Amino acid sequence: ALFVLGIALAVAGVRQRRNQLLLIWTVVPLIAGAVLTIDTPFYPRISGLVPFAVLAVALALGQGLAALREAWPGIAGRWLARMVAAAVLAAVCANNVRTYFIDYAPHHHHSPAVPIARWIQLHGRGRTTYMVGGAPDFYIRHGTIRFMTYGYDTRDVVDLDRFLGSQQFNPATSAWIIMPQGKQLIPRLTAAVGPLTIEEHRDARGTLVFYSGVPERR
C-alpha cells in the first residue's frame, strides 16, 4: 500500500526534480535493462529496482507523517508521527521475517542452510555441533544457520587432522555435519571419535545435501 501511494505521489508531483529522478530510476533498470540483459537472469534488474521501491515507500511514509504533524501540530503530533513510524517499521520487519523464515525458507531449500539448522535444533541441544568438509565454500557460521540455531554451540573444522591433533573435545557430547565433499573424512572421523550413526540427508529432488553423525550410545 505504501509503495502504491509513493508511486502516486511521484506521478502527481512529476514536475519536482526528486520525483523525476525516482521515476527515471525505475524506467532505466526495468525497460532499458530488460533490453540490454535479455539473455541474463532477472536479478540484475531486481538489484536496480530495489532501491527505487524502498524510496517510493519512504516517500509515502514521509508524506503521511508530515500530514499527521500538520493535522496535530505541537508535541502531540510529533509523538503520534514517531509512534506511527515505529509501528510501520516493526510491521515491515515482522513481515520480512515471517515471509522468509516461515513461508519461504522451509519450502525452498536452495542451500543446505535450513535443513542443517533444523537438524541442529533436533540433535544439537547439550552438544557441540561441528561441520567438516564445508570450507572454504560453506561454513556452519552461515547467517541463516546462526540465526536459526541461536543458543546452540556450533563450530567449523577447516582442517580435520589439525583439529584432532590440537583440540580437546568430548566425543560423547559432539555432533557432526559432514558436507558431501568431505565424505572421505568419515573414516578418519570415526577412528578419532568412535562409532558414529551416520545418516544421509537429501532434498526433495533426491540430491545429497549433507551427512550427519552422532556418537552411538554404549
Side-chain angles (χ1 to χ4, degrees):
L2 289 173
F3 173 77
V4 174
L5 179 58
I7 296 297
L9 289 170
V11 173
V14 71
R15 293 186 179 183
Q16 300 180 28
R17 290 186 176 182
R18 65 175 185 175
N19 293 338
Q20 292 172 358
L21 178 61
L22 198 60
L23 294 174
I24 291 173
W25 197 331
T26 188
V27 169
V28 172
L30 186 61
I31 299 178
V35 174
L36 295 174
T37 60
I38 191 68
D39 293 327
T40 61
F42 192 66
Y43 302 110
R45 296 194 291 280
I46 288 292
S47 62
L49 284 171
V50 166
F52 157 78
V54 173
L55 287 174
V57 171
L59 176 63
L61 182 58
Q63 190 73 15
L65 296 178
L68 285 176
R69 288 192 292 267
E70 290 178 3
W72 287 279
I75 297 178
R78 289 196 298 270
W79 276 105
L80 179 60
R82 291 171 184 173
M83 288 188 292
V84 170
V88 170
L89 291 176
V92 169
C93 291
N95 182 67
N96 285 340
V97 170
R98 179 188 61 80
T99 54
Y100 180 76
F101 288 102
I102 297 177
D103 297 338
Y104 175 79
H107 306 290
H108 301 277
H109 298 162
H110 297 300
S111 85
V114 171
I116 287 175
R118 283 185 164 179
W119 188 89
I120 296 172
Q121 290 173 346
L122 292 174
H123 303 278
R125 181 66 66 185
R127 300 174 181 268
T128 299
T129 304
Y130 301 90
M131 176 181 285
V132 297
D137 300 319
F138 194 82
Y139 294 92
I140 206 168
R141 297 190 306 272
H142 186 284
T144 300
I145 298 177
R146 295 179 66 181
F147 180 88
M148 296 182 67
T149 60
Y150 181 81
Y152 292 80
D153 190 7
T154 58
R155 303 180 189 180
D156 283 294
V157 177
V158 177
D159 187 323
L160 181 60
D161 289 329
R162 181 178 298 178
F163 171 81
L164 295 176
S166 61
Q167 298 290 331
Q168 296 292 328
F169 71 99
N170 186 354
T173 59
S174 66
W176 301 86
I177 299 292
I178 305 102
M179 301 305 289
Q181 57 268 32
K183 180 181 179 180
Q184 73 279 2
L185 300 174
I186 294 179
R188 178 76 177 89
L189 186 62
T190 303
V193 178
L196 293 173
T197 300
I198 301 294
E199 295 183 352
E200 294 184 354
H201 300 265
R202 300 178 179 272
D203 60 18
R205 298 184 297 272
T207 304
L208 179 65
V209 179
F210 67 96
Y211 298 95
S212 65
V214 293
E216 295 182 357
R217 295 183 178 180
R218 299 178 181 179

